Amino acid sequence: MKRARAVALMFLLAAAGFGATIGREADLPDRAGYGKFAPSSQPFPAPAISLTDMAGDTVGLAGFRGKLVLVNLWATWCAPCLREMPSLERLQSHLGDRVAILAVSEDRGGGKIVEPFIAKLGLKSVKVYLDPKSEIGRAFAVRGLPTSFLIDGDGKVLGRLEGAADWDSPEILGVLEPFLSGEGVIKASSH
């Protein structure tokens, strides 16, 4: 009898956990949209995170209020992440101070691992931050790398893009431009 109760209790706990996962997953884009910008149906406040740059200085996401922000989570071991980095650099160079691109490395080794990659890729415009404990990834409920979030000047998440993107492509610029021009309309990417 005790064994039957234990099995029933484990089944109920597993079912409850499965239901909780389904509820959280409902807020995320499906895999069919992988590599495409998925706008938030209702923009929501970005998590209150702190970013640590390569010099060890810390800034809160709130420090970027008033500016369009693209938070890109990546790692040196992630081939798609490395392929998209040059386009993030070109996008930052093209848009200048109209957008803040925050490339957040999820590498556990921190700066000693990331610094050689920054030099090799020639990143000068994109600001690189370190998240060796994946606290930012957890705060944003990231399912894989690379994953990016577009945040408006009021600190609201406008949408996300899971997977690598060609950030300076006409499709992505078409997603960004309405917001950059002040129209405040974000649409899904079509690439």
Side-chain angles (χ1 to χ4, degrees), residues 30-46:
D30 64 18
R31 287 290 178 183
Y34 193 75
K36 296 181 182 174
F37 182 78
S40 299
S41 57
Q42 186 74 20
F44 57 93

Side-chain angles (χ1 to χ4, degrees), residues 3-51:
R3 185 165 203 250
R5 268 192 252 157
V7 169
L9 179 60
M10 287 188 341
F11 176 77
L12 288 172
L13 290 172
F18 180 72
T21 299
I22 290 173
R24 283 192 308 270
E25 295 291 321
D27 296 334
L28 301 173
D30 64 18
R31 287 290 178 183
Y34 193 75
K36 296 181 182 174
F37 182 78
S40 299
S41 57
Q42 186 74 20
F44 57 93
I49 59 171
S50 292
L51 303 150

Side-chain angles (χ1 to χ4, degrees), residues 138-160:
R138 279 192 300 280
F140 277 104
V142 170
R143 298 187 292 188
L145 299 176
T147 298
S148 301
F149 298 88
L150 189 62
I151 302 168
D152 71 11
D154 293 327
K156 299 221 189 248
V157 177
L158 300 170
R160 71 192 288 148

Side-chain angles (χ1 to χ4, degrees), residues 49-129:
I49 59 171
S50 292
L51 303 150
T52 303
D53 68 15
M54 296 295 294
D57 297 325
T58 303
V59 63
L61 188 57
F64 295 94
R65 289 284 172 132
K67 184 177 280 270
L68 185 63
V69 176
L70 179 66
V71 175
N72 173 268
L73 290 106
W74 67 286
T76 59
W77 48 262
C78 167
C81 300
L82 299 180
R83 279 195 306 271
E84 81 173 351
M85 279 297 177
S87 69
L88 280 169
E89 177 74 11
R90 289 189 304 269
L91 179 67
Q92 183 68 78
S93 294
H94 175 71
L95 294 177
D97 64 355
R98 295 175 66 199
V99 66
I101 298 176
L102 315 178
V104 181
S105 167
E106 297 290 295
D107 286 280
R108 292 181 195 266
K112 69 180 181 210
I113 300 294
V114 175
E115 197 166 354
F117 279 87
I118 294 170
K120 181 179 177 183
L121 294 171
L123 301 179
K124 297 188 185 336
S125 298
V126 170
K127 185 77 172 171
V128 176
Y129 294 91

